Amino acid sequence: MTLNRRTLWMTGLAAAAGAAGMGVAWWRYQPRPVGTEAEATFWASQFEGPNGEAVDLAAWRGKPLLVNFWATWCPPCVEELPLLNAFYRAHAARGWQVLGLAVDQPRAVRSFLQKLPLDFPVGMAGLAGTQLSRELGNPTGGLPYTVVMGADGAVLHRKIGKVSETDLAQWAQLA
Amino acid sequence: MRVWRTGATGPQCTGHNGAMDLYRDNNNPEIAAVAARLVVEEGLEYAAAKRRAVKQLGLQSRAPLPDNAAMDTAVREYIAVFCPETQAVELRALREVALLWMGRLAAFRPHLGGAVWHGTATRHSDIYVQLFCDDPKSAELALLDHRVDYHPGTVNGWRGEPVQALTLRTRCDALGQWVLVHLMVHDLDDLRGALKPDAQGRKPRGDAQALRALLASTHAPEHTP
C-alpha cells in the first residue's frame, strides 16, 4: 500500500512537475557574464575543507581550474560528482585542478564524503556559496554550477546544470 | 448533532449526549484499537484508518468515531504492546531525516509536526514540515534551484484553510527505504498562531532546535512533547 503510493507518486506526478518546471528553467538557468571584479573576489576567497583544513584560493592561481558548486541534496550534483572525479584523475597530471564548493551544511557534506570519497578538494562554502556563484554568473544560485578558469585566472566557460562527458572533453581542450 | 441508531424498536433519533455516550461505551475503543493497528502497520492517516476500521468491524458507516486524542492514545498503546523497540528505531531515523531537511530549508523557518514530531511515527509515516516564508514562492524556487523532484499540491492547514504543499521523496538509508516529506508553505504571519498548544495541551510542532533537544533525550522512554 505504502510502497505503491510512493512508486506511483514518482512516475506520474514527477513527470507533471518536470514539465511545469521546464518552462521556468529555460530562463532561470542561463549563465550571465562575469566581471573581472567577480573573478578577483573569487581568487581572494578562503574556505574550510571537510576536516577543518584551509582552502585558500590564492594558492590555486596559475593553473587551470574547474570549480563545481554542489549540494548533497541536489540530485544532478550528486550524479555528476563521479564524472568530475574521473576528469580530475585524467587531467591532474597536466596541471588541471578541480575544486568542489559545497553549498550545504558541513555535517551533511562530511557524512556524504565518507560514503562517496572524492579525490579532488572540497570547500565548505555554506550559504555564502550561493552568493559567490551568483557573482560568478549564476543569476539564481541554481545547482549544480560549474565554472572553468584558465591559468590566468579568467573565466573560460560556465555551465548551469549537470555537466556531460562532452562538456568535460571540451573543457579539457581549453588548457 | 443528532444520531440515528437502529434498535429492536426500529430507528430512533436520540439527543446527542445519550447516543454519543452509548456508542462510545460500546464501539469507540474498539474502533480506535483497530484504527490504531492500521495507522501503525499500514501508515494510514487517522481519518482513513477510522473509516476502514468501521468497515472492518462491520459497523454502520454513521457510527461515532473516536476523536484524535483517543486515536493518539490507542496508537501509543498499540506501539507499546506490539513494536516498542522497532518503532523507537524507526522514529529516530525519521526524525534524523526531518532534521536534515529542516537544516537544508533553514531559511524558511521549518517546523516539524505530525507523527514524527509527536513520537507515534513508524517506517510507514510521512514527514510533515511547515515552512513560514516571507515570499510564498521562495521555498519552491529553492527546490527548483537544487533540482529536487517535488510534487506541488494543496492540503488543509490547521485552521482548515488551503495551504500549498510541496511533496518530495528522500532516501532514508537507516530504514533502507524512501520517505515522503511534505513541506507546507505558510505565511510568516502564521508562525505566531502555529505554536499555541493543541486540544491535548501539546506543542503542535517544533523547530530544528526543539527537534534536536528531542533527539538528544531519546534514550529516555518516549514522551509527548
Side-chain angles (χ1 to χ4, degrees):
Chain A
M1 165 77 197
T2 312
L3 285 180
N4 261 342
R5 186 167 56 98
R6 284 178 182 148
T7 322
L8 278 177
W9 178 81
M10 265 316 269
T11 49
L13 303 172
M22 246 183 294
V24 182
W26 77 264
W27 64 264
R28 280 179 66 80
Y29 301 123
Q30 296 299 312
R32 305 287 156 88
V34 182
T36 46
E37 245 176 71
E39 287 168 359
T41 313
F42 172 78
W43 288 109
S45 304
Q46 290 174 334
F47 303 96
E48 222 173 64
N51 304 311
E53 70 276 22
V55 178
D56 188 349
L57 285 182
W60 291 54
R61 239 184 138 141
K63 289 185 196 171
L65 169 65
L66 184 152
V67 186
N68 177 249
F69 292 86
W70 67 287
T72 59
W73 56 294
C74 155
C77 302
V78 171
E79 284 165 25
E80 72 178 4
L81 284 173
L83 282 182
L84 299 176
N85 209 38
F87 174 89
Y88 177 67
R89 283 177 172 218
H91 302 290
R94 296 203 292 120
W96 270 96
Q97 313 173 96
V98 175
L99 172 66
L101 285 180
V103 186
D104 206 335
Q105 308 166 84
R107 203 169 63 102
V109 176
R110 271 191 290 273
S111 84
F112 177 88
L113 290 176
Q114 273 167 11
K115 279 180 268 175
L116 182 83
L118 297 169
D119 294 326
F120 58 81
V122 169
M124 305 291 196
L127 278 182
T130 310
Q131 187 51 36
L132 181 61
S133 94
R134 282 200 186 101
E135 285 167 12
L136 285 176
N138 181 12
T140 65
L143 297 175
Y145 183 53
T146 307
V147 184
V148 183
M149 303 179 112
D152 59 355
V155 172
L156 296 177
H157 213 279
R158 290 152 297 147
K159 174 153 185 176
I160 305 181
K162 195 176 160 187
V163 301
S164 64
E165 302 257 14
T166 323
D167 292 327
L168 290 168
Q170 283 171 358
W171 293 339
Q173 310 290 316
L174 293 174
Chain B
M1 179 179 172
R2 285 141 60 98
V3 178
W4 288 95
R5 68 192 172 94
T6 321
T9 55
Q12 57 180 126
C13 181
T14 57
H16 87 271
N17 281 335
M20 291 296 277
D21 290 343
L22 241 173
Y23 274 98
R24 184 152 291 168
D25 288 346
N26 291 336
N27 292 325
N28 225 327
E30 206 179 339
I31 296 174
V34 172
R37 187 183 64 75
L38 293 169
V39 169
V40 176
E41 302 290 351
E42 299 189 27
L44 291 192
E45 299 294 327
Y46 280 5
K50 287 183 219 176
R51 279 196 302 274
R52 211 199 289 171
V54 167
K55 227 179 248 173
Q56 281 189 7
L57 290 167
L59 299 172
Q60 286 178 43
S61 57
R62 304 185 73 182
L65 299 173
D67 61 17
N68 287 347
M71 283 297 300
D72 277 336
T73 310
V75 166
R76 279 176 206 285
E77 279 169 6
Y78 187 94
I79 289 169
V81 172
F82 292 101
C83 53
E85 288 89 12
T86 52
Q87 191 267 346
V89 172
E90 292 168 6
L91 173 64
R92 189 173 182 88
L94 290 174
R95 282 179 170 169
E96 299 276 5
V97 172
L99 189 61
L100 186 62
W101 278 94
M102 289 165 82
R104 290 168 174 177
L105 300 164
F108 310 114
R109 301 168 188 84
H111 285 68
L112 177 67
V116 179
W117 167 248
H118 289 303
T120 51
T122 66
R123 62 163 60 238
H124 302 290
S125 306
D126 294 350
I127 296 171
Y128 291 86
V129 174
Q130 273 140 354
L131 305 178
F132 298 90
C133 309
D134 300 301
D135 171 7
K137 270 273 162 231
S138 56
E140 189 164 2
L141 288 179
L143 294 184
L144 272 177
D145 285 340
H146 285 80
R147 318 261 166 155
V148 175
D149 266 330
Y150 65 92
H151 163 53
T154 308
V155 295
N156 283 332
W158 67 84
R159 291 193 307 265
E161 80 288 12
V163 170
Q164 189 199 5
L166 309 169
T167 298
L168 57 92
R169 205 175 72 139
T170 189
R171 187 78 193 161
C172 177
D173 289 331
L175 296 178
Q177 67 171 49
W178 294 93
V179 174
L180 292 185
V181 182
H182 305 282
L183 305 170
M184 275 91 83
V185 183
H186 293 269
D187 281 340
L188 188 52
D189 295 343
D190 294 335
L191 185 54
R192 249 175 303 145
L195 301 174
K196 283 185 192 143
D198 65 8
Q200 297 163 63
R202 308 176 302 182
K203 271 197 207 160
R205 49 193 67 83
D207 61 8
Q209 199 185 344
L211 178 57
R212 249 181 246 116
L214 206 53
L215 278 166
S217 69
T218 303
H219 296 299
E222 202 43 57
H223 62 278
T224 310

